[in-house]
Amino acid sequence: QKEVEQDPGPLSVPEGAIVSLNCTYSNSAFQYFMWYRQYSRKGPELLMYTYSSGNKEDGRFTAQVDKSSKYISLFIRDSQPSDSATYLCAMSTNTGNQFYFGTGTSLTVIP
Amino acid sequence: DAGITQSPRHKVTETGTPVTLRCHQTENHRYMYWYRQDPGHGLRLIHYSYGVKDTDKGEVSDGYSVSRSKTEDFLLTLESATSSQTSVYFCAIKGQGGADEQFFGPGTRLTVL
């Protein structure tokens, strides 16, 4: 079993929809949780970063961490065609220097 | 963009030849990483460095070596390139100042014929 599981999609939604992206993980020691957005033929760019459990909001994006269920989510409100990209979740432990990535979910927002 | 550059950005080479990829950063970050990204596998760690001359292996280190003789440069070498090493290679740094996130370079697209 991989440490981080992420549904690869693809996910296709109409413009303005609410998008929910999710990852599950197996290592209860993970404390840092990140979401990256990757456009085609570009490097991943950090979108959201949270420590431990709870919610974090930044504009149209909300990251949620449920450590009891080992489940993290990224919500995108009022989705735009410019949100079309691959979204990767990543996580690391308090003491580790390695990061563990999901395989990414491909999202297309249709105008 | 955390001041990360990678060179070359694209390379085509033949099986059996050595290849070196360079990652350069301008912000004195201690930790640097090399990943490869392949369809269905996501990002997989090859090697990482936690200081000058201090490196450690990642998940897929076989066939790769690294060197870090200066803080700003982290080199990835494919000793004898194989077709299975055709991939997109990303360099990353770990943020400083209490944050624990990574920032990525633009990537190098390597094709081994």
Side-chain angles (χ1 to χ4, degrees):
Chain A
Q1 182 190 6
K2 295 186 72 171
E3 297 229 41
V4 181
E5 299 280 357
Q6 184 175 9
D7 186 338
L11 189 60
S12 183
V13 301
E15 183 175 354
I18 296 174
V19 176
S20 173
L21 304 168
N22 311 293
C23 288
T24 58
Y25 62 94
S26 56
N27 189 345
S28 58
F30 287 145
Q31 293 282 356
Y32 297 92
F33 303 92
M34 290 140 277
W35 286 96
Y36 289 84
R37 177 175 61 196
Q38 186 176 23
Y39 292 115
S40 181
R41 294 183 171 265
K42 301 287 187 183
E45 57 175 319
L46 184 66
L47 201 57
M48 298 286 284
Y49 167 82
T50 53
Y51 173 72
S52 195
S53 281
N55 294 359
K56 185 174 183 179
E57 188 173 321
D58 184 0
R60 296 185 294 111
F61 299 89
T62 299
Q64 285 186 354
V65 175
D66 181 350
K67 292 188 70 180
S68 63
S69 302
K70 297 191 181 68
Y71 189 87
I72 68 170
S73 301
L74 178 70
F75 297 96
I76 306 174
R77 290 184 299 280
D78 187 25
S79 56
Q80 302 295 309
S82 59
D83 295 328
S84 298
T86 296
Y87 291 80
L88 301 124
C89 63
M91 42 201 84
S92 68
T93 65
N94 240 351
T95 56
N97 295 306
Q98 294 193 34
F99 295 75
Y100 299 86
F101 286 82
T103 52
T105 300
S106 175
L107 171 68
T108 300
V109 180
I110 302 167
Chain B
D1 65 355
I4 306 168
T5 57
Q6 293 184 231
S7 59
R9 294 293 315 278
H10 299 86
K11 186 170 182 68
V12 180
T13 191
E14 294 191 350
T15 298
T17 60
V19 175
T20 295
L21 309 182
R22 180 182 182 237
C23 178
H24 180 78
Q25 53 120 341
T26 60
E27 299 183 2
N28 210 33
H29 294 284
R30 180 182 172 195
Y31 288 88
M32 299 182 74
Y33 302 78
W34 276 108
Y35 292 89
R36 60 178 290 175
Q37 188 175 39
D38 305 287
H41 292 279
L43 283 160
R44 291 182 291 175
L45 181 65
I46 304 171
H47 282 278
Y48 70 100
S49 169
Y50 47 96
V52 172
K53 298 192 190 303
D54 293 322
T55 64
D56 207 348
K57 295 179 179 180
E59 177 188 359
V60 290
S61 60
D62 287 349
Y64 301 95
S65 62
V66 291
S67 65
R68 193 165 178 205
S69 58
K70 298 185 291 184
T71 299
E72 58 266 35
D73 289 325
F74 191 30
L75 304 181
L76 176 71
T77 298
L78 287 65
E79 310 286 352
S80 176
T82 67
S83 58
S84 64
Q85 293 176 311
T86 292
S87 187
V88 181
Y89 291 86
F90 288 102
C91 174
I93 58 91
K94 180 179 169 183
Q96 295 175 155
D100 204 55
E101 67 270 52
Q102 284 191 315
F103 298 93
F104 285 82
T108 294
R109 189 168 294 271
L110 176 68
T111 301
V112 182
L113 302 176

